[in-house]
Amino acid sequence: MRTDIFARLDREPEPPKIEIPRMSRTRLALLGGTSAFYVAIVVAVLLSSWLVIIDWKVMLFRPYQQWPELHAFLDYFVVLGQRGPTAVMVAAWLGWRSWRQHTLRPLLSLGAALLLLNATVGAVKLGLGRLGPHYATQIGSAEMFAGGDIFPSGHTANAVVTWGILAYMATTPRARRYLSALSAVVALGVGLTTVYLGTHWLSDVLLGWAAGLLVLLALPWCEPLIGRAEEAILTLRDRLRDQMRARRLPVPALPVVPKSPRPAMFPQRASSESSEPVRRPVGASGGRRGSASGGTASGTATQPTQVRTHAVARPGLGTHAPHTSHAPYPSHGNPVASSAGTRRAPRSRPVTGN
């Protein structure tokens, strides 16, 4: 008997009606507030204000030296913010959901979110070029436009987007609340872990949280494009499937024309019923005379080497059936009887008078 847990692993018979998040007033307000916070962090770092001073104080405090017992665990925990491993894990989960619900929207939403993240965060990283704490050159400096690529924190922004997409794709309010809390805890922990390890400034983590949240809040604007992409992919899939089915259709068999029998490689012996007897001339005395084909009346008959068929005519007895011989006549002596009891014809002799 199956339980409900295993029943949920089966594919749903029909695609469910999933509510697509829309750009509501609340979402617009959050988007505006997060954008303002993002700009404020960038301006504060560029002006080398109090935020840069806090960055230096935290870096000189060196948390990884204050609590060294956490170092081994946090080295593994920070992997939850790396783009490669987290994208593979989340894509596997959303891929199963896509198969179960007959839709490509979960995978396409993840792809759109990661594309937005790479475009926005990558552009700001390269544009500002801030150096990390381990590569700082002057105490109290913001280390901007020095060829670095850590502002904002990519680990933090990726943790917000990758784990937040699970809450974004939730189908029930309860699941959305739980997944939102889980993604917030993971993103917060990954950001603070980078500060503990000394790989990012505190302002990098703040800007990374804001960057990831902006991507999630702006994702409903990409829903029309995601829908068109899904429709195009499914149409292409159906077209390819129809072509494959058309190739697999059985070809109707053509009528087979009966062929004429081939001639035998070795000709069979002529039977006594079907062969016509060859009559021999009878002399004046009525005696038995045998004349071989190819011989003369006054000479000796030529000895054939092929199969010879002949008939013997006797006075008063009629014509006998032809005899078949496969062996040539002997060159001398009496006629030799075959193993079947048939006699071979004697040599032709010259015909004499009375």
Side-chain angles (χ1 to χ4, degrees), residues 14-40:
E14 295 181 359
K17 295 181 179 180
I18 303 175
E19 182 182 358
I20 299 176
R22 303 187 180 279
M23 191 60 71
S24 60
R25 293 182 178 180
T26 304
R27 188 179 289 271
L28 285 174
L30 290 174
L31 182 64
T34 307
S35 300
F37 179 78
Y38 188 96
V39 174

Side-chain angles (χ1 to χ4, degrees), residues 101-346:
Q101 297 176 351
H102 305 267
T103 177
L104 296 176
R105 182 172 166 265
L107 284 177
L108 293 178
S109 299
L110 175 63
L114 293 179
L115 184 61
L116 285 176
L117 179 66
N118 292 335
T120 56
V121 175
V124 176
K125 277 175 173 287
L126 297 178
L128 297 179
R130 191 181 190 185
L131 293 175
H134 293 309
Y135 302 98
T137 58
Q138 183 179 357
I139 296 177
S141 173
E143 303 294 336
M144 300 291 287
F145 308 106
D149 57 350
I150 66 164
F151 185 68
S153 172
H155 274 69
T156 305
N158 184 74
V160 174
V161 172
T162 306
W163 301 108
I165 197 69
L166 297 179
Y168 179 82
M169 296 302 302
T171 56
T172 60
R174 182 180 180 181
R176 186 174 293 111
R177 288 194 299 268
Y178 288 160
L179 291 175
S180 298
L182 177 62
S183 61
V185 169
V186 173
L188 181 64
V190 169
L192 294 179
T193 300
T194 60
V195 176
Y196 167 85
L197 297 174
T199 57
H200 280 286
W201 306 99
L202 181 60
S203 57
D204 298 343
V205 175
L206 295 177
L207 196 64
W209 286 333
L213 188 58
L214 284 176
V215 171
L216 290 179
L217 291 174
L219 200 55
W221 282 335
C222 301
E223 287 294 338
L225 181 61
I226 292 174
R228 289 194 293 268
E230 180 183 11
E231 184 179 357
I233 293 174
L234 293 179
T235 302
L236 180 61
R237 182 203 63 179
D238 295 338
R239 186 181 305 172
L240 294 177
R241 182 181 298 176
D242 294 340
Q243 292 178 358
M244 295 298 295
R245 289 178 179 175
R247 293 178 181 178
R248 294 176 182 175
L249 289 177
V251 180
L254 298 177
V256 179
V257 179
K259 298 181 179 180
S260 58
R262 297 180 179 180
M265 184 176 296
F266 301 100
Q268 299 179 356
R269 299 179 181 179
S271 59
S272 59
E273 292 80 6
S274 60
S275 59
E276 292 293 335
V278 179
R279 299 180 180 273
R280 296 179 178 275
V282 181
S285 60
R288 184 169 51 122
R289 291 177 174 85
S291 174
S293 63
T296 58
S298 60
T300 306
T302 306
Q303 297 181 2
T305 58
Q306 303 295 331
V307 178
R308 177 176 294 195
T309 304
H310 57 274
V312 180
R314 297 180 179 179
L317 297 179
T319 305
H320 290 269
H323 296 276
T324 303
S325 175
H326 291 272
Y329 290 120
S331 56
H332 58 83
N334 296 329
V336 181
S338 63
S339 59
T342 58
R343 294 182 59 188
R344 294 177 180 173

